[in-house]
Structure formats: structure tokens, C-alpha cells
Amino acid sequence: MNLEQASHTPARARLDAFVSGPVTDYARLRNFDVEGHPHVSNLSMAIRHRVLTEVDVLQAVLAKHSYKTVEKFVQEVFWRTYWKGWLERRPAVWTTYKTGLGQAQNRLSTEAGLRQEWEAACNGDTGIECFDYWARELAETGYLHNHARMWFASIWIFTLRLPWELGADFFLRHLIDGDAASNTLSWRWVGGLQTEGKTYLATADNIARFTENRFRPTDLAAFAPPLTDGPKPALGDVPVSDAIDAAKPTAHLITEDDLSPAWLANLAPSPVATATLSAVKYRSPLEPAAQVTEWTDHALRQAAPDGATHLKTVADTVAWAREQLVSQVVASYCPTGPGGDLMAMLRPELAAHGIALVQCVRPYDSACWQHATHGFFRFKEKIPKLLEKMDKF
């Protein structure tokens, strides 16, 4: 398990090494899934959990290179932000995914054939060499190259004909960088739900080319008819920060959605106490992979100050806050997904004891998410203006 990205100093060293070399070839080579993944940053774990923030990454890259030189990499950083903003403003899509997942899991209990096919896919035992390799790679490392994720999802949906929600769940249970927005919306995109009618079909020639002939699968689906779904929910507002009362005794709460919590000290200095709380178990109704839990717990401990309390449940968190005699618990905003679900459960439980949960939205998110109204290409037009504001984020 790669713990390098779980703390700031080694993650920053990896970023600096990428900026000094491979980033300039990123646009040309990023789609090649080869041993060791030398053509991508390998920083997705750190960025997803904000061991390194998006601002950290963008400023490091643009301090050494012109935007034109590294435009594709910069756009990929903003893709992650766009996905988050898109889902944040349409949280019902996450709710619909969870409902669909529950229905698909119920089918596993009643349809023996489906269960066998699902187990074979999860265990890398389908007979499709590349797919099986990626299933085992994911289970062993907690990571897959982005192009492999697209191929895998396409084969899952169109060749194996398995429910897409079960595939998205398989990823979210095993990917250390698993992110509700990027994962859910990417699977929807492959299946033709995100961009209505537009699907992604994995082909033998494409796989052979971008794996440098490690794989050339046969008997893949020749067609990718789009899945169907209900209408997309109406566009909602960008979330805003809760108000902090500087006069009230305050505690800080660190979650895996933001492991660069120093910014909270500027908003609510001198906390009475600090704790960490993991949302990993809310990724799935099934048990997340052990390495996802272990990596996240390690990263939370690395981000927390000495003396922090490491909590496991909502009940533990309420008891801790009451013991500290605080009136508010301040945390970075947890976006739609497992973290958001956890905060939604925690807020009323704290409130029942007169303790406010105060979630603070980073200025970067507020500025970017307001543009997540349509497709990425409209969002992309805003990137130069957003880059001009990096120093304010």
C-alpha cells in the first residue's frame, strides 16, 4: 500500500518531481496504461483527500510552466473540481445511485446467475485477460490508471452486462482515491447517462495501442447502447459556509475530504480540541477494502495535530464534543457523497445537545462550483479567469 501520498511532505516531493519532468509530456502520453504509470502524476490519492489541495497543485505547475505548455494537465485537475461541483448542485443523483445500488444488491440475493457473474468480475475471473488484470490490480493496489477505469467500466456494462451501480460500488470500495463525484459521474458517462445518449465503447485496438500491446482482448461488445434513467434534477445552489461564532468555545473536526486543515485555524483559531472522523464505511453497504480504511486512517493521523482524538462514529463524536464543553464543531465542508452523508447524520445529533456543526466551504470550491451548470466544455472556458484568482484561494 502506497502511504507516500498520505502525508504532505512526501506528496509534495512527488508533485515537485512531476512538475520538473513528466508534466510537459502529459498531454501526449497520459492515456498510456503501462507498468509503473510513469506518464501521470500518481497524485490522485493526495489530491482527492486534499493532502495537497488543487490550489497547491495548480500553483506548483504554473510556477514553472506556461498555461499553454501544461494546459491538458491543468484541465484534468479542474475536471475533478467540475465533477464535484456538478454533483454538489444535483445531490439527488447521488441519492438515485444509492437507491439503484440497493436494488442491484437485492438482485444478487435472488438471482444466482447474476451473483456468480458479479463475483467473477470482482475477483478477476471472467476470462477477459485485461479486465481480470485490472480487477486484481485494483484489489491489490487500491489504484487504476484513468484509461483502465474507462475500459473496465465499459466492459462491465456492455460486455458483461452487469448493473453499472455494482461496478461503481466495486470501484468506490477499492479505490483509495475513490471520490463520489468523479466515480459516480464517470460511470454514468460511460453508460450514456451523464451525457444523454453518449457512451464509451472499449475496443481491442484502443486497448492494445494504449497498453503497448500488453493486451488485445477478443469478444468485447461491438455496440454500446445507452442506458436509460430518469430526468436530471434541477440545478441547485452552490453551498455556502455556516457562520462561525468567534465568542463560542470551539472544536475542530478533520475528515478525509480535507487533510490540509490549517486553513481552519484562520477561521476559528485556538480550538479547545481537535478530532478526526472517517467516512470510509459510508462508501458502500458492503465492507470497503481494508487498504482503503488503513490508508485513510493513516492519512487522518498524519494531518491531525498531536493530542487529537481519533473518532469512529457519530455517537463517539457527539460524546467527545460534549466532554470538551464546546458550543460549535468547525470542519471543512464535506461534499455530496459519504462525507456529506456523515455530516448530515452528525448535525442533528450535535444540535440535540446545543452544539452547532459549522462547515466551511473553501473559496476555491465556491468560485469553481458556480460554473458547474452545464457540460465541462462550458466550464473549461472559465479556467483562465479562475487561474487569475489562485492567490485569493
Side-chain angles (χ1 to χ4, degrees):
M1 181 169 52
N2 181 5
L3 294 176
E4 177 187 70
Q5 295 185 50
S7 55
H8 184 271
T9 299
R12 179 67 200 214
R14 177 179 283 275
L15 170 61
D16 291 341
F18 178 69
V19 168
S20 297
V23 70
T24 56
D25 283 327
Y26 179 82
R28 181 170 61 89
L29 299 174
R30 68 189 180 92
N31 282 328
F32 285 89
D33 176 26
V34 296
E35 198 72 32
H37 310 300
H39 306 311
V40 295
S41 71
N42 291 290
L43 285 169
S44 60
M45 299 174 193
I47 298 171
R48 179 266 179 263
H49 296 94
R50 282 185 164 162
V51 174
L52 298 174
T53 69
E54 294 87 344
V55 174
D56 291 335
V57 174
L58 292 167
Q59 288 183 329
V61 171
L62 293 171
K64 287 198 172 184
H65 305 282
S66 69
Y67 175 53
K68 184 176 181 180
T69 301
V70 294
E71 182 177 12
K72 179 54 68 175
F73 179 76
V74 169
Q75 288 177 2
E76 289 301 310
V77 175
F78 275 106
W79 254 111
R80 176 181 294 272
T81 303
Y82 164 74
W83 278 143
K84 280 188 175 295
W86 195 98
L87 187 62
E88 196 61 37
R89 302 188 67 178
R90 302 164 182 84
V93 171
W94 172 247
T95 303
T96 300
Y97 155 71
K98 291 193 296 179
T99 300
L101 174 60
Q103 293 169 345
Q105 288 178 325
N106 287 339
R107 290 180 58 195
L108 295 178
S109 300
T110 59
E111 300 177 30
L114 176 63
R115 184 172 188 88
Q116 290 175 355
E117 293 166 356
W118 169 73
E119 288 177 344
C122 293
N123 293 330
D125 194 25
T126 68
I128 302 173
E129 183 185 7
C130 58
F131 182 94
D132 293 344
Y133 177 90
W134 294 320
R136 292 191 296 269
E137 180 184 10
L138 175 55
E140 292 168 6
T141 69
Y143 176 81
L144 276 184
H145 185 281
N146 185 62
H147 210 166
R149 298 183 198 198
M150 294 167 59
W151 293 321
F152 187 100
S154 182
I155 294 170
W156 181 288
I157 295 170
F158 300 116
T159 299
L160 300 178
R161 298 184 180 278
L162 292 168
W164 76 268
E165 295 95 340
L166 293 177
D169 176 70
F170 177 65
F171 270 16
L172 204 53
R173 285 187 287 118
H174 287 86
L175 285 168
I176 293 173
D177 65 15
D179 172 79
S182 294
N183 189 62
T184 306
L185 302 184
S186 293
W187 275 83
R188 283 172 54 87
W189 180 80
V190 169
L193 297 173
Q194 190 63 22
T195 303
E196 189 173 352
K198 180 179 175 61
T199 59
Y200 176 77
L201 180 66
T203 67
D205 287 346
N206 187 262
I207 292 171
R209 176 188 174 193
F210 287 106
T211 62
E212 296 184 340
N213 291 307
R214 284 190 300 146
F215 304 112
R216 182 177 285 277
T218 58
D219 299 326
L220 297 185
F223 303 99
L227 305 177
T228 58
D229 197 5
K232 291 186 179 70
L235 184 69
D237 295 331
V238 176
V240 297
S241 295
D242 298 316
I244 297 175
D245 188 335
K248 290 183 176 180
T250 299
H252 285 179
L253 185 64
I254 302 171
T255 73
E256 72 262 30
D257 281 317
D258 195 333
L259 296 180
S260 292
W263 82 291
L264 291 177
N266 297 323
L267 301 175
S270 303
V272 172
T274 300
T276 67
L277 179 61
S278 172
V280 165
K281 70 178 182 179
Y282 298 103
R283 286 190 178 202
S284 170
L286 301 178
E287 187 75 19
Q291 61 187 341
V292 174
T293 300
E294 292 167 7
W295 191 98
T296 304
D297 287 347
H298 179 78
L300 283 164
R301 291 178 183 275
Q302 293 295 306
D306 293 340
T309 302
H310 302 287
L311 305 167
K312 295 294 184 183
T313 67
V314 167
D316 290 344
T317 307
V318 173
W320 164 78
R322 295 182 68 194
E323 289 169 4
Q324 303 306 319
L325 302 177
V326 298
S327 299
Q328 59 187 359
V329 174
V330 177
S332 296
Y333 182 80
C334 291
T336 297
D341 292 345
L342 178 58
M343 293 298 105
M345 290 183 281
L346 178 60
R347 185 183 293 275
E349 295 297 324
L350 287 173
H353 298 280
I355 303 170
L357 175 62
V358 178
Q359 290 199 83
C360 302
V361 183
R362 283 185 178 265
Y364 170 85
D365 292 332
S366 297
C368 294
W369 292 352
Q370 66 177 301
H371 301 300
T373 55
H374 295 80
F376 177 75
F377 293 100
R378 188 178 299 190
F379 178 92
K380 184 172 67 173
E381 296 173 355
K382 308 297 182 181
I383 290 177
K385 290 294 185 182
L386 290 168
L387 291 174
E388 292 175 3
K389 301 176 182 178
M390 283 294 118
D391 289 341
K392 299 178 181 179
F393 298 152

